[in-house]
Amino acid sequence: SPAYHEGTVYVAVEYPAPSGALFAVDAATGEVIFSDDRVTDHPHSTPGIARGLGTLSIGANDGQLYTWSFPDLEFRWTFDAGRAVKAPIAVYDGAAFFGSWDEAVFRVDLATGERDWRFDATGFVMSGVGVDPDRGVAYVGSHDHQVYALDVATGAEQWRFGTGGRVTGCPAVTGDRVVVGSYDGSLYALDADDGTEL
């Protein structure tokens, strides 16, 4: 999915080679304003734009998180997540939050490209991360059928909830609930504080 900001659409594009690129496109005319083809494998993830910090990040199947400055799009750095990064990139508190097929969730400092923490699940993490800034908690699903609640500052597990199938979509945080779907065919509403099924 693309990201939009002030008249410009930002989108990661994959090619069958496999390779990929980041494009910035004028939303009114479709004119390509910027492109960078340094991405070496299929980039699936929705760009994460940290406007306050001035960065834009995408992940790719080569296991890298790519980050540019924003809005001038000067390339900054890559971070190696071990295996494919397919999910949207969530940005909060100066950091990128995302999972990888290395069966892990990461918090990476957007200013430096250094890892703040890593949380190990027991399955691929293709789910995007839903961040609740009021609670300071990041919610994410995994192929191991679990929904995890992680402390945004430390990565410490607050709770987990088991479903009957893979969790690949992004948990949505609304009020005191986390809403998430599972490959078991169910949509769950969970208590955001303790993971109780509501």
Side-chain angles (χ1 to χ4, degrees):
S1 300
Y4 173 86
H5 181 66
E6 293 186 349
T8 304
V9 174
Y10 302 89
V11 62
V13 176
E14 64 179 56
Y15 305 122
S19 61
L22 172 71
F23 284 90
V25 178
D26 185 292
T29 68
E31 177 189 357
V32 174
I33 301 168
F34 168 87
S35 67
D36 188 335
D37 62 358
R38 76 181 63 240
V39 185
T40 61
D41 202 343
H42 291 159
H44 295 289
S45 69
T46 302
I49 299 173
R51 290 176 295 172
L53 189 62
T55 60
L56 181 148
S57 303
I58 62 170
N61 277 3
D62 60 7
Q64 302 297 313
L65 179 72
Y66 294 83
T67 296
W68 292 259
S69 61
F70 184 82
D72 54 327
L73 299 176
E74 293 291 330
F75 186 72
R76 290 276 182 84
W77 48 260
T78 58
F79 171 83
D80 187 355
R83 294 184 70 187
V85 178
K86 295 179 177 284
I89 307 303
V91 293
Y92 170 70
D93 192 31
F97 295 82
F98 61 96
S100 89
W101 279 29
D102 204 33
E103 302 187 350
V105 182
F106 296 90
R107 174 183 168 138
V108 173
D109 187 304
L110 285 167
T112 65
E114 297 295 320
R115 185 179 80 187
D116 290 331
W117 53 253
R118 171 188 172 125
F119 173 81
D120 289 310
T122 57
F124 296 157
V125 181
M126 192 169 172
S127 164
V129 178
V131 176
D132 184 335
D134 294 329
R135 288 180 174 81
V137 177
Y139 303 94
V140 65
S142 171
H143 277 52
D144 64 11
H145 302 188
Q146 303 293 314
V147 178
Y148 296 97
L150 309 175
D151 184 283
V152 294
T154 66
E157 182 179 325
Q158 305 299 294
W159 54 257
R160 69 173 68 185
F161 175 83
T163 74
R166 292 173 291 164
V167 180
T168 62
C170 303
V173 185
T174 175
D176 59 358
R177 286 168 169 71
V178 178
V179 182
V180 64
S182 167
Y183 264 74
D184 65 9
S186 296
L187 179 69
Y188 294 90
L190 309 176
D191 187 294
D193 292 319
D194 60 15
T196 302
E197 182 181 325
L198 301 173

